[in-house]
Amino acid sequence: MAKKDSFRVAFCGLVSALSLVIMLMTSLIPVGTYSFPVLAGVLLVAVVIEFGWKWALAAFAAVSLLSAFLAGDKEAVVYFTAFFGFYPIIKSCIERLRSRAVQYIIKYAVFNVCIIAAFFVCKLILMIPDSEFTIGGFYIPWVFLIAGEIVFPLYDAFVTILVTNYIIRVRDRLFRMK
């Protein structure tokens, strides 16, 4: 039993380390503010599939905490912590519901609450001034929210495709080495 637990810890540690490295890259590549939290979060899918949501939440918490201290782009950390890090974990729970309509309502509700909360955290806690959110007199957060409403189904489908490909192509190869 101890061998199995040590493998779980090692696997979760490896996935967490990879996620953290991706989050650290946000300070090197400025356009990574939105894309790197997405990539760091989808890595947690493997932990959810192999060991369940509790282990994935522990890995998520570790990456969130370490990113808060080490990553240079704090806005990216907020987006990872507020949504992209834990959505791949709760997605499987939401998809256990029978009604697809209820699934989408809950998914959109979670997305909107988390992204709006992340915006206010960035604005109020990180003290990002309003001028950073305005271009030519137009308040950009509304544009980002509307774009997010359009892109969110693509992101959700991307996570589903990733889960399928992980199970079909990667899982057997990865655990054959075990």
Side-chain angles (χ1 to χ4, degrees):
M1 190 68 166
K3 188 175 185 180
K4 194 174 197 178
D5 287 339
S6 62
F7 179 76
R8 285 182 184 186
V9 171
F11 186 84
C12 291
L14 181 63
V15 170
S16 298
L18 289 172
S19 292
L20 181 60
V21 166
I22 291 170
M23 290 303 295
L24 293 175
M25 288 174 29
T26 60
S27 55
L28 299 174
I29 304 170
V31 295
T33 299
Y34 304 106
S35 58
F36 288 156
V38 170
L39 292 174
V42 296
L43 288 177
L44 298 174
V45 165
V47 178
V48 174
I49 292 169
E50 301 305 335
F51 307 117
W53 63 271
K54 290 180 184 178
W55 283 87
L57 277 178
F60 161 72
V63 174
S64 296
L65 187 63
L66 290 169
S67 294
F69 289 116
L70 301 173
D73 188 343
K74 299 305 181 199
E75 187 178 1
V77 173
V78 169
Y79 287 119
F80 175 81
T81 305
F83 182 72
F84 294 114
F86 79 88
Y87 181 75
I89 299 168
I90 65 166
K91 177 178 167 49
S92 65
C93 297
I94 295 170
E95 290 178 347
R96 289 183 189 142
L97 300 171
R98 290 183 186 215
S99 170
R100 277 220 192 256
V102 172
Q103 288 177 17
Y104 281 110
I105 290 169
I106 292 172
K107 286 178 181 181
Y108 267 102
V110 167
F111 170 75
N112 282 293
V113 167
C114 292
I115 294 301
I116 291 169
F119 167 75
F120 283 109
V121 166
C122 288
K123 187 174 177 183
L124 300 173
I125 295 177
L126 297 180
M127 303 286 217
I128 298 175
D130 283 340
S131 62
E132 293 289 321
F133 297 114
T134 306
I135 294 179
F138 192 69
Y139 201 55
I140 301 176
W142 292 111
V143 174
F144 277 133
L145 187 60
I146 291 167
E149 301 297 333
I150 296 167
V151 174
F152 176 69
L154 298 173
Y155 167 71
D156 187 59
F158 168 72
V159 174
T160 301
I161 290 168
L162 179 75
V163 167
T164 305
N165 281 315
Y166 173 80
I167 291 171
I168 293 172
R169 297 181 181 183
V170 177
R171 190 177 198 195
D172 288 340
R173 291 180 186 161
L174 184 67
F175 289 99
R176 198 177 317 145
M177 294 183 280
K178 185 170 88 166

